Amino acid sequence: MQISNNNIACLFDLDGVLVDTAVYHYQAWKALANSLGFDFTKAQNEQLKGVNRMRSLQLILEWGGVQKTAEEQEALATVKNDNYVGMISKMTAAEVLPGSVELLEALRAAGIKIALGSASKNSGLILERTNLAHLFDAIVDGNHVTTSKPDPEVFIKGAELLDTDPSRCIVFEDAQAGVQAAIAGKMKVVGIGEPENLTGADVVVKDLSAITVEEIKALIN
Ligand code: BG6
Ligand code: MG
């Protein structure tokens, strides 16, 4: 990719960074595991963050010591997703996490391009329900990639769409797999949440209200 400008760009994960959907993923996976006769811990749930649907299911089945055929796995993933979509269909803008809209608007006002970089195939529904869609210059989600974080594909595609060199991109992530993806893509990364779950992030903040455009710009150069 040949880039001839000095732009910087911001790439945002969705679940757990901009909106509080991580809790719905957890509830829907937990219900599925319980229906199969087992449970998993909150610590195990951390490992599912940022990981795509089929890989998440495979991890959960491993934890439960349950073996399923590829066909059965497809059916189980559909059960989970139907339950999850039922939950997110009722979301409102009130579920946007603190500081998200303010930061996205401030970045736009500063002329900084913004892309979504999410593993989710449901990002369109979530952005529409929470009234965030209009704030993005580009959307890359689980419908556009073939690999799951920690592979950097989702962020590399976002950088390409924003015509920005990866070294001038800042990723916002709540998942360890997402931090690893950003690092693999040679990008800066702002971790959202607790430092112990975000090893390798350049800076960790509790949410997007705790970082400014100036602090973000200072991460580049
Ligand atoms: C990520 C979530 O954003 O999207 C994961 O952190 C989830 O928990 C993944 O498994 C895929 O989401 P979906 O909506 O396509 O099942
Ligand atoms: Mg996330």
Side-chain angles (χ1 to χ4, degrees), residues 82-175:
D82 288 350
N83 187 5
Y84 176 70
V85 168
M87 296 179 195
I88 60 173
S89 297
K90 297 184 205 117
M91 284 182 85
T92 69
E95 285 168 88
V96 174
L97 288 167
S100 302
V101 173
E102 293 81 353
L103 183 63
L104 292 172
E105 285 179 345
L107 289 166
R108 292 183 73 79
I112 295 171
K113 297 273 187 220
I114 302 169
L116 189 79
S118 169
S120 175
K121 293 186 171 176
N122 293 302
S123 78
L125 173 60
I126 295 167
L127 292 178
E128 181 210 321
R129 291 291 318 166
T130 54
N131 197 28
L132 291 173
H134 66 286
L135 295 167
F136 290 87
D137 299 295
I139 303 283
V140 186
D141 73 9
N143 298 297
H144 308 111
V145 294
T146 54
T147 55
S148 190
K149 298 171 189 176
D151 189 285
E153 181 184 7
V154 68
F155 295 134
I156 298 284
K157 284 212 161 131
E160 279 173 10
L161 287 173
L162 298 182
D163 197 24
T164 304
D165 193 87
S167 67
R168 301 187 64 78
C169 290
I170 302 113
V171 168
F172 296 77
E173 258 296 344
D174 72 315

Side-chain angles (χ1 to χ4, degrees), residues 13-17 49-50 149 173-175:
D13 175 49
L14 177 64
D15 296 319
V17 170
K49 291 186 178 174
K149 298 171 189 176
E173 258 296 344
D174 72 315

